[in-house]
């Protein structure tokens, strides 16, 4: 497998073609951004940690029958994935109120939701990823109803699998964001699953072990990511 033409640079990752048209190479950068890129920094080793953490989550999900774009890890910062045509809808799953939900609805952070909440936003930084609903998705032709039914089913299944897995490691899965894409006639889970895209709280102290430490200038960002990896690898 050869690293081919550079395709796309996101805020935390770069994507390259390979000599196989079905496969892309994802390179995880150390760059951290928040508030649509307004706040920026480079956090040494973040890319290495997110590459490893995403691989662990994708492997676990694949083992449980969730189809993801993940193929294999090829280096410290790189994973091979199936090529996807990304659906520009971010899918957010929430178990506990935090972040923008707390702000928007006035629900104090930490409140356990009576039912899992699914939200969708348009993947568009210039517009600040505005929240949208099914009507917008179909009116804007972002995805088909059958595709959304599959996406929602998989998003809830990912939650069902990750909540108990993380609970065993002393981590509460507060919320997370997923992205999906088309590969042939399949919809696959894409992007990454990492402390950049999830809220992880220590189950006993409620300490934040995710990107909120960066968003809120709390310090100890990489140390928190490393702690998550230690727990997942060490099997606390
Ligand atoms: P929010 O509360 O800020 O809307 O975030 C909800 C979840 O989505 C949280 O786990 C962090 C994640 N997220 C991303 O992955 N990318 C983003 O651009 C934003 C705003 C949130
Ligand atoms: N990823 C988004 C940004 O870079 C926001 C976030 O994760 O808070 O701006």
């Amino acid at each position: 497998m050869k690293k081919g033409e550079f395709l796309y640079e996101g805020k935390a990752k770069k994507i390259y073609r390979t000599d196989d048209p079905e496969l892309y190479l994802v390179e995880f950068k150390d760059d951290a951004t928040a508030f649509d890129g307004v706040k920026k920094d480079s956090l040494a080793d973040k890319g290495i940690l997110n590459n490893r953490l995403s691989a662990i989550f994708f492997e676990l999900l694949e083992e449980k029958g969730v189809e993801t774009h993940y193929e294999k890890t090829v280096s410290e910062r790189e994973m091979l994935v199936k090529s996807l045509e990304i659906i520009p809808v971010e899918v957010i799953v929430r178990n506990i109120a935090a972040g923008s939900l707390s702000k928007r609805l006035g629900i104090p952070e930490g409140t356990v939701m009576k039912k899992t909440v699914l939200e969708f936003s348009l993947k568009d930084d210039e517009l600040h990823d505005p929240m949208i609903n099914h009507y917008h998705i179909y009116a804007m032709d972002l995805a088909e109803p059958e595709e959304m039914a599959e996406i929602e089913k998989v998003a809830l299944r990912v939650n069902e699998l990750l909540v108990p897995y993380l609970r065993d490691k002393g981590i509460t899965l507060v919320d997370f964001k997923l992205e999906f894409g088309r590969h042939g006639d399949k919809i696959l889970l894409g992007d990454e699953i990492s402390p950049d895209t999830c809220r992880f709280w220590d189950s006993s102290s409620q300490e934040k072990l995710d990107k909120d430490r960066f968003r809120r200038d709390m310090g100890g960002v990489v140390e928190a990511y490393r702690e998550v990896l230690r727990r997942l690898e060490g099997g606390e």
Side-chain angles (χ1 to χ4, degrees), residues 52-108:
R52 183 77 200 107
L53 285 163
S54 289
I56 291 174
F57 286 121
F58 284 137
E59 279 167 14
L60 172 90
L61 293 171
E62 287 279 353
E63 224 173 82
K64 304 284 183 185
V66 174
E67 293 191 289
T68 78
H69 70 160
Y70 180 75
E71 281 280 315
K72 64 174 181 177
T73 299
V74 292
S75 78
E76 241 185 0
R77 289 182 183 273
E78 294 166 316
M79 61 169 64
L80 202 58
V81 301
K82 293 194 180 74
S83 54
L84 289 187
E85 178 204 335
I86 283 284
I87 296 172
V89 175
E90 298 192 344
V91 180
I92 294 151
V93 182
R94 300 183 185 268
N95 297 305
I96 296 176
S100 70
L101 178 130
S102 289
K103 211 168 161 185
R104 192 178 344 110
L105 301 180
I107 302 174

Side-chain angles (χ1 to χ4, degrees), residues 11 32-39 125 129 196-197 211-212 215:
K11 293 194 290 288
T33 68
F35 316 115
D36 306 311
V38 169
K39 183 178 164 73
D125 278 346
D129 298 342
D196 272 12
T197 60
K211 194 174 158 189
D212 268 350
R215 295 188 189 98

Side-chain angles (χ1 to χ4, degrees), residues 2 6 21 60 63 72 85 120 134 137 140 149-150 158 161 184 191 197 201 204 216 218 225 232:
K2 276 203 346 237
F6 164 75
L60 172 90
E63 224 173 82
K72 64 174 181 177
E85 178 204 335
F120 307 104
H134 288 93
I137 292 171
M140 294 170 77
E150 170 73 7
V158 169
L161 291 167
D191 195 47
T197 60
W201 291 355
S204 27
R216 302 179 191 193
M218 298 169 76
Y225 286 36
L232 301 200

Side-chain angles (χ1 to χ4, degrees), residues 99-182:
S100 70
L101 178 130
S102 289
K103 211 168 161 185
R104 192 178 344 110
L105 301 180
I107 302 174
E109 194 156 272
T111 308
V112 177
M113 305 305 284
K114 218 169 150 184
K115 191 175 189 307
T116 305
V117 173
L118 269 193
E119 291 173 355
F120 307 104
S121 23
L122 177 66
K123 193 171 151 59
D124 186 327
D125 278 346
E126 271 181 35
L127 297 176
H128 312 295
D129 298 342
M131 194 194 267
I132 51 176
N133 64 30
H134 288 93
Y135 288 88
H136 301 105
I137 292 171
Y138 306 141
M140 294 170 77
D141 204 18
L142 303 176
E144 297 294 324
E146 304 72 44
E147 292 179 321
M148 287 311 295
E150 170 73 7
I151 285 172
E152 285 169 42
K153 192 182 81 187
V154 174
L156 293 173
R157 177 79 181 132
V158 169
N159 192 43
E160 262 175 32
L161 291 167
L162 294 191
V163 165
Y165 168 76
L166 287 162
R167 189 192 296 129
D168 280 353
K169 319 278 183 191
I171 296 172
T172 303
L173 180 59
V174 174
D175 57 30
F176 57 97
K177 186 261 301 182
L178 300 176
E179 293 183 27
F180 293 84
R182 304 181 183 99

